[in-house]
Amino acid sequence: MFSYLRERLSSHLRERSRRRARLVSKDGRCNIEFGNVEQSRFVFLIDIWTTILDLRWRYKMTIFISAFLGSWFLFGLLWYVVAYIHKDLPEFNPSINHTPCVENINGLTSAFLFSLETQVTIGYGFRCVTEQCATAIFLLIFQSILGVIINSFMCGAILAKISRSKNRAKTITFSKHAVISKRGGKLCLLIRVANLRKSLLIGSHIYGKLLKTTITPEGETIILDQVNIEFVVDAGNENLFFISPLTIYHIIDKNSPFFHMAAETLLQQDFELVVFLDGTVEATSATCQVRTSYIPEEVLWGYRFAPIVSKTKEGKYRVDFQNFSKTVAVETPHCAFCLYNEKEAKAKEKKGYDNPGFVLSEVNETSDTKM
């Protein structure tokens, strides 16, 4: 029992030590941080709208609640000051004929309640501003305008946060692994992507970036060097009819960075394949980007995806997501170079070649029989 646990622990530690750092997680989040930024953090206040939208919900709601409570309390103090200066409070023993600036403000608590009623336009009717002093009228107008601005900013930020295309991207999923196998007589890298909603993504476009560390001929080391990876679908990679899961593939030819890789050396490579899907949300007309990444351990050589779409007896098309990331082993060349050499060898067998050393000599037949 202890030996089994020890073996499991050691294998877990080995697997953890082999785990590669990735720039983009499987759910599309970028693993990057900025250090020693010379600009001040107050520069983010210039673009306050984007800053508010990027905040988490708990921070956003904390800011809004603090803004409301702070404005109510601040204007409550101002209303109390107005009543105090005008001597409307009970401690000044105003006469019966005295007309206050604000009716029924007896202290700080009642001033806070009047501020709350004014800004949120509740208007109970028990407390109201009179025409006695212009200061109270100006303060009422100013608080009403500020309350409308805060309400508009909060409603707009919440609506924009809810309707952001980032949430729509969560209903687009990629296969857990990428596979390499033959497709149409060519060696290809295949990835499966599916739309979990029936609403389409309009004008979808799929492309990829291969991130790796390269050394230039001048000796410069470039970390996260980006190489374009072209993905295609049988129907084209522009304006996809993305109603059912699609299998996108990259042809491994002589121009592909995967051309010099082989099944035996794939795990020894150091790269990260980032796949992007851009499109427009049909319901909101907002642009949307979905991304994921694959490291060498997540690329299976010699496999293809299992079928996922079938037709029911009722004539409907059924998508079985249980087989979405399921793979099946198939016969695949060990490298793209081997496949192309095999094709060239078969092509040469079908052709005839002249032998320069071959000489055709004519033989004269003579008859030794005499009549």
Side-chain angles (χ1 to χ4, degrees):
M1 181 65 181
F2 291 102
S3 60
Y4 173 76
L5 294 177
R6 191 183 304 109
E7 182 180 357
R8 292 282 295 179
L9 180 60
S10 59
S11 63
H12 175 72
L13 293 177
R14 286 195 302 269
E15 183 67 24
R16 186 175 180 180
S17 61
R18 288 179 53 196
R19 192 173 302 168
R20 303 172 188 258
R22 59 200 313 159
L23 178 65
V24 180
S25 62
K26 298 297 289 184
D27 57 357
R29 290 178 296 179
C30 296
N31 180 26
I32 191 170
E33 63 179 14
F34 300 99
N36 300 324
V37 180
E38 296 181 358
Q39 293 181 341
S40 173
R41 292 187 178 272
F42 290 102
V43 74
F44 294 101
L45 296 179
I46 300 176
D47 188 13
I48 186 64
W49 178 252
T50 306
T51 302
I52 292 296
L53 291 183
D54 289 339
L55 288 177
R56 296 181 180 271
W57 277 108
R58 52 179 177 267
Y59 302 130
K60 186 191 302 290
M61 298 310 298
T62 300
I63 292 175
F64 286 143
I65 292 174
S66 302
F68 277 115
L69 293 178
S71 62
W72 295 340
F73 185 74
L74 175 61
F75 281 98
L77 290 177
L78 295 178
W79 287 116
Y80 180 80
V81 171
V82 170
Y84 185 86
I85 294 176
H86 199 254
K87 297 183 179 180
D88 299 334
L89 300 177
E91 62 245 29
F92 293 104
N93 297 319
S95 62
I96 299 176
N97 297 327
H98 178 76
T99 303
C101 291
V102 181
E103 295 282 355
N104 299 310
I105 287 187
N106 302 320
L108 186 59
T109 303
S110 57
F112 175 80
L113 292 176
F114 178 72
S115 173
L116 172 62
E117 296 167 9
T118 300
Q119 188 164 330
V120 300
T121 66
I122 296 176
Y124 288 120
F126 182 69
R127 301 177 182 87
C128 60
V129 178
T130 64
E131 68 279 5
Q132 183 66 27
C133 52
T135 305
I137 298 175
F138 174 79
L139 187 60
L140 176 66
I141 295 173
F142 184 74
Q143 184 176 5
S144 300
I145 295 175
L146 183 63
V148 171
I149 293 175
I150 295 178
N151 288 336
S152 301
F153 192 88
M154 183 196 71
C155 295
I158 291 179
L159 180 61
K161 182 77 170 179
I162 295 175
S163 60
R164 292 186 76 177
S165 57
K166 184 186 295 184
N167 298 326
R168 177 63 174 91
K170 294 181 180 179
T171 56
I172 306 295
T173 180
F174 288 88
S175 57
K176 184 178 180 182
H177 295 90
V179 297
I180 296 178
S181 60
K182 292 175 64 176
R183 187 183 182 94
K186 300 178 181 180
L187 191 64
C188 301
L189 183 142
L190 301 96
I191 297 173
R192 179 172 279 174
V193 57
N195 181 12
L196 302 181
R197 289 186 179 272
K198 293 184 178 181
S199 59
L200 299 178
L201 283 180
I202 304 172
S204 300
H205 175 61
I206 297 177
Y207 58 97
K209 300 286 184 180
L210 187 70
L211 308 179
K212 60 180 182 178
T213 301
T214 59
I215 300 177
T216 62
E218 295 76 17
E220 179 185 3
T221 301
I222 303 177
I223 301 177
L224 297 180
D225 186 24
Q226 300 184 14
V227 180
N228 290 327
I229 301 294
E230 295 184 359
F231 282 97
V232 295
V233 187
D234 291 333
N237 60 344
E238 296 286 348
N239 300 324
L240 304 176
F241 185 50
F242 199 15
I243 192 63
S244 62
L246 298 176
T247 300
I248 62 175
Y249 60 92
H250 164 70
I251 301 176
I252 304 178
D253 53 11
K254 295 182 179 179
N255 298 323
S256 173
F258 294 95
F259 183 77
H260 299 286
M261 299 182 188
E264 296 82 5
T265 62
L266 180 63
L267 296 179
Q268 303 173 4
Q269 304 294 327
D270 185 14
F271 67 84
E272 180 178 353
L273 175 62
V274 184
V275 184
F276 301 88
L277 171 62
D278 296 341
T280 303
V281 182
E282 186 180 25
T284 61
S285 298
T287 57
C288 171
Q289 184 183 88
V290 194
R291 52 186 176 266
T292 189
S293 68
Y294 299 91
I295 55 178
E297 288 81 3
E298 297 170 344
V299 179
L300 305 180
W301 195 295
Y303 288 83
R304 64 172 175 83
F305 291 109
I308 191 174
V309 180
S310 61
K311 195 172 184 180
T312 62
K313 297 180 180 179
E314 294 79 9
K316 294 184 178 180
Y317 292 94
R318 183 175 184 272
V319 180
D320 187 8
F321 280 96
Q322 185 177 0
N323 296 334
F324 180 73
S325 296
K326 186 177 179 181
T327 57
V328 180
V330 292
E331 184 178 354
T332 307
H334 288 270
C335 62
F337 190 74
C338 301
L339 177 62
Y340 286 101
N341 284 345
E342 180 182 352
K343 288 184 177 181
E344 291 178 0
K346 290 182 179 180
K348 289 180 180 179
E349 290 179 358
K350 298 180 180 180
K351 296 180 179 179
Y353 294 90
D354 294 333
N355 185 0
F358 178 78
V359 178
L360 179 62
S361 60
E362 296 181 358
V363 179
N364 296 325
E365 296 182 358
T366 57
S367 178
D368 296 335
T369 306
K370 294 182 178 180
M371 296 298 293

